Amino acid sequence: AHVLEIKNATLQNLYHKEPLTVDEVFNKLMEYKEATGRPIYAFFGPTAASGGYYIAMAADYISADRNTTTGSIGVIMSYTNVKGLYDKLGLKSVYITSGRNKSMGASDLDLTDEQRAIYQGVVDEAYDQFVGIVCEGRGMPETTVRKLADGRIYTAKQALANGLIDEVTTLDEALDAFC
């Protein structure tokens, strides 16, 4: 699945990676554009969502296959709480920590309100950054992006109608136009 085409270099399978990795790739692409003055063209294959969409915000033009799933503009942080299972089995972990929040997110502990607020702050900050990247990359006002950035996915046709991509085409047609 091709996510980005840059002259003859291809970045593949970047559609759902860790935020740090995604931001590093995005920043490297922006450095490449700045250093070379060359435009970046993106082509979305089957999936270019979340991190893949974020990275594509470095592109000057985005094409997508008609069967593309894209969008998923948002941030999620999750953990599995197995406290009930541990209780049922009579298991209990013991934590010796340097602070009351050091063990937050441990799978056998419930989150306190404070810890939930800490995690929400991290998610909110990452979300605001993602929204800003989309605003800049697509030249859209923040209010418009926030309406679109509720985490949902979009078909290529929906993404085009909402200004998230520039055209729906085939890879061959996109490569012909890019090169």
Side-chain angles (χ1 to χ4, degrees), residues 29-178:
L29 289 172
M30 295 303 286
E31 288 173 15
Y32 169 85
K33 276 176 47 168
E34 182 71 27
T36 66
R38 292 181 181 163
I40 294 177
Y41 300 99
F43 178 80
F44 292 171
T47 306
S50 197
Y53 190 75
Y54 185 116
I55 290 168
M57 292 303 94
D60 297 285
Y61 195 84
I62 300 173
S63 301
D65 181 87
R66 68 182 182 178
N67 295 308
T68 294
T69 300
T70 191
S72 190
I73 304 165
V75 178
I76 184 171
M77 181 180 285
S78 66
Y79 83 104
T80 302
N81 185 322
V82 295
K83 185 178 183 310
L85 176 62
Y86 275 29
D87 290 346
K88 194 179 268 187
L89 296 173
L91 299 173
K92 182 175 174 133
S93 296
V94 176
Y95 296 94
I96 301 166
T97 67
S98 58
R100 69 180 179 275
N101 292 313
K102 183 61 183 161
S103 62
M104 69 185 221
S107 63
D108 61 328
L109 298 175
D110 291 325
L111 289 176
T112 65
D113 290 342
E114 177 187 19
Q115 293 166 347
R116 187 173 297 280
I118 290 168
Y119 278 134
Q120 189 63 57
V122 171
V123 168
D124 291 348
E125 186 175 318
Y127 175 74
D128 289 344
Q129 179 176 306
F130 197 167
V131 167
I133 295 289
V134 174
C135 289
E136 186 175 325
R138 298 306 297 163
M140 300 169 92
E142 185 175 338
T143 53
T144 301
V145 172
R146 285 192 185 275
K147 286 178 187 170
L148 297 170
D150 64 0
R152 78 180 72 194
I153 57 171
Y154 295 94
T155 65
K157 188 175 177 181
Q158 292 167 337
L160 180 63
N162 283 295
L164 297 173
I165 63 171
D166 297 301
E167 74 173 337
V168 177
T169 189
T170 67
L171 175 60
D172 288 339
E173 290 170 344
L175 288 174
D176 285 346
F178 295 166

Side-chain angles (χ1 to χ4, degrees), residues 13-47:
N13 301 320
L14 295 170
Y15 57 87
H16 191 70
K17 300 294 183 194
E18 295 297 319
L20 180 61
T21 304
V22 167
D23 195 51
E24 286 175 350
V25 173
F26 170 80
N27 285 324
K28 289 295 182 188
L29 289 172
M30 295 303 286
E31 288 173 15
Y32 169 85
K33 276 176 47 168
E34 182 71 27
T36 66
R38 292 181 181 163
I40 294 177
Y41 300 99
F43 178 80
F44 292 171
T47 306

